[in-house]
Amino acid sequence: MTTLVFDDQPQTNLSRWKNLVLHCTDPYNSSAWSDPVYFDFAGYDTSPFWDSDGTVYVTGSHPWELQPGINQAPINLTTGEVGSIVNVWNGTGGLAPEGPHVYYKDGWYYLMIAEGGTGLNHEEDIARSRNINGPYESNPVNPVLTNANTSAYFQTVGHADLFQDAAGNWWGCALSTRSGPKYLVYPMGRETVLTPVSWPSGEFPIFTNVSGEESSWPLPPSDLDLPGAGPFINAPDNYTFPPGSTLPLHFLHWRLPVSENYAISPSERPNSLRLTASQLNLTGYDGNFARTGQTFVGRRQTDSFFTYGVTLSFAPTAAEQEAGVSVFLVQSHHIDLGLVLLPSNSTNASSSPSSSSSSSATDLSPYLRLRTTTTLANISAASELQLFPIPTAWLPANYTPTAEASQQQLTLRMEVEACNLTHYAFRAGSAGAAHAMQTVGYGEAAALSYGFTGTLVGVYATTNGGEGEDDVNAYVSDWTYSSMGQVRD
């Protein structure tokens, strides 16, 4: 059960929220899930609860800008029919009561919610009642979980849930950011954390405060022999895109992909991923206005420190044709290292689509362009744009940007490394010469510390608005991602 949010509508418009439920009999089989069943519920963060008499309830958050509170109603999960909606609790008075979950234990219905907003004041509160529809009495020692007003590395803790493991031990899972109390650098966004919970009979649950290292109930032994497809979250990437393969299941696109812009092991270059450049670049338009796709494929940053790399073969023949690697959050927040064709003798100040689109082909040269796009004001201006002319040693013999593309491929190794908690290092070099890789520049992780979802690392190809050209293709091979460690305190 989840909520589809139409973010072009204001939060005071109830049509912004559309709730739905999906079901299956085998959660490990991605093709077993049903089509969505939509249901009418004014709000978001909807959660199901199965009562002992067989009745199913939906509990959700009413849009708090209109009227803060938690509402509940019986629901038919097959048809989506919703019964009479009842307001069951408005929380403790904190901002934005939301994220509700209902539990039944020892003759009590427990209703747990998030309050305080999703920033540094985020917290989890709980109430209970003898009846499913209340009245609910607040726990006198709320909040039961928060890291507000602490110096903990894990901050913004809230939107929690409770469950029991196979041994009967209680656990809490919650959302949190690795940001510290300054709340400025957290490029992986909100992550899921786990903490042990004691729940004495007839009492409220008692959470262990979230920290990077905790004492807990015994964890079960690791078992990787599980059904389902795709890699585990901590597995490294080593992909060569052989014939007959498909994109790995953990690879992601931005917006709906244009399928013909991605080809695995094409006949002209086996063991590679062909990207056909989109007219839109990674900034482009948002999802409400974009009418064409943006060629990008990536995977999530799952480690504090990591190294990501690809081998890129690209033969740009017109100004602003570009392909490269990106650390991408959303269209307004990303850092790109691109191989791009620009007017010869370009400078940081002159490098822009408008300043180069009229240049003749004979005046063009290949550059590496490191560019930061962000709306955040605390980012150094020096990190916004950096240009690096491609050294002659990296170019094919007798290179000219107007020559036949198949004969003038520039083949580079491009890498991104999270070298510390505050910066990404971007490197490039001639393929097959790792010892000669050069650091082009750095991007600030704070530029990507915004919102909830966390960063992706991946590849892109764009004409930066160029029209009327034949397909512009880039080829990606030897895709790697490896963890260099996690920071937990």
Side-chain angles (χ1 to χ4, degrees), residues 6 35 56 81 88 113 127 172 195 214 221 225 230 308 343 372 378 390 397 413 427 436 440 458 461 463:
F6 295 90
D35 290 333
V56 183
E81 181 182 0
V88 290
I113 69 171
T195 193
E214 297 180 9
D225 187 19
Y308 166 75
T372 295
N378 59 325
I390 299 293
R413 184 68 183 173
R427 302 190 180 99
V440 178
T463 64

Side-chain angles (χ1 to χ4, degrees), residues 57-127:
Y57 293 88
V58 56
T59 312
S61 314
H62 192 271
W64 61 270
E65 292 92 339
L66 289 176
Q67 178 184 336
I70 304 300
N71 291 345
Q72 186 169 269
I75 184 173
N76 185 318
L77 295 179
T78 302
T79 66
E81 181 182 0
V82 176
S84 297
I85 295 177
V86 177
N87 175 253
V88 290
W89 193 38
N90 291 331
T92 66
L95 179 71
E98 56 190 17
H101 297 292
V102 175
Y103 316 90
Y104 184 76
K105 183 178 182 292
D106 306 323
W108 292 94
Y109 293 93
Y110 291 85
L111 172 57
M112 190 168 71
I113 69 171
E115 289 189 270
T118 55
L120 292 175
N121 293 321
H122 205 187
E123 66 182 45
E124 200 71 14
D125 299 308
I126 196 166

Side-chain angles (χ1 to χ4, degrees), residues 361-416:
T362 55
D363 295 327
L364 299 174
S365 299
Y367 284 79
L368 289 172
R369 179 167 61 189
L370 179 59
R371 183 159 54 173
T372 295
T373 298
T374 187
T375 63
L376 299 174
N378 59 325
I379 307 305
S380 168
S383 70
E384 292 180 358
L385 180 65
Q386 300 170 58
L387 289 181
F388 183 92
I390 299 293
T392 302
W394 297 5
L395 299 174
N398 303 315
Y399 172 82
T400 58
T402 57
E404 180 65 30
S406 63
Q407 301 174 8
Q408 293 292 295
Q409 295 283 338
L410 281 71
T411 301
L412 304 179
R413 184 68 183 173
M414 305 180 81
E415 291 185 351
V416 182

Side-chain angles (χ1 to χ4, degrees), residues 177-263:
T177 52
R178 293 191 237 194
S179 63
K182 291 184 178 180
Y183 198 41
L184 295 175
V185 180
Y186 50 99
M188 287 190 285
R190 299 200 301 188
E191 301 177 79
T192 302
V193 294
L194 189 67
T195 193
V197 174
S198 298
W199 200 342
S201 178
E203 303 294 334
F204 285 100
I206 302 169
F207 285 73
T208 301
N209 286 341
V210 170
S211 62
E213 300 290 339
E214 297 180 9
S215 298
S216 72
W217 317 125
L219 292 170
S222 297
D223 181 9
L224 302 184
D225 187 19
L226 295 172
F232 287 92
I233 191 66
N234 58 350
D237 285 359
N238 288 283
Y239 294 107
T240 57
F241 308 107
S245 63
T246 58
L247 287 179
L249 290 179
H250 67 298
F251 278 26
L252 304 171
H253 297 284
W254 183 245
R255 309 299 181 200
L256 294 175
V258 178
S259 58
E260 56 265 32
N261 285 356
Y262 307 87

Side-chain angles (χ1 to χ4, degrees), residues 281 319-320 322 342-343 350-359 369 371 463-466:
N281 59 27
E320 288 293 338
E322 180 180 5
L342 295 173
S350 66
S351 173
S352 67
S354 60
S355 65
S356 57
S357 58
S358 60
S359 299
R369 179 167 61 189
R371 183 159 54 173
T463 64
N464 282 300

Side-chain angles (χ1 to χ4, degrees), residues 156-175:
T156 71
V157 178
H159 275 70
D161 204 348
L162 288 161
F163 69 94
Q164 277 182 292
D165 63 21
N169 298 312
W170 283 97
W171 296 88
C173 56
L175 298 178

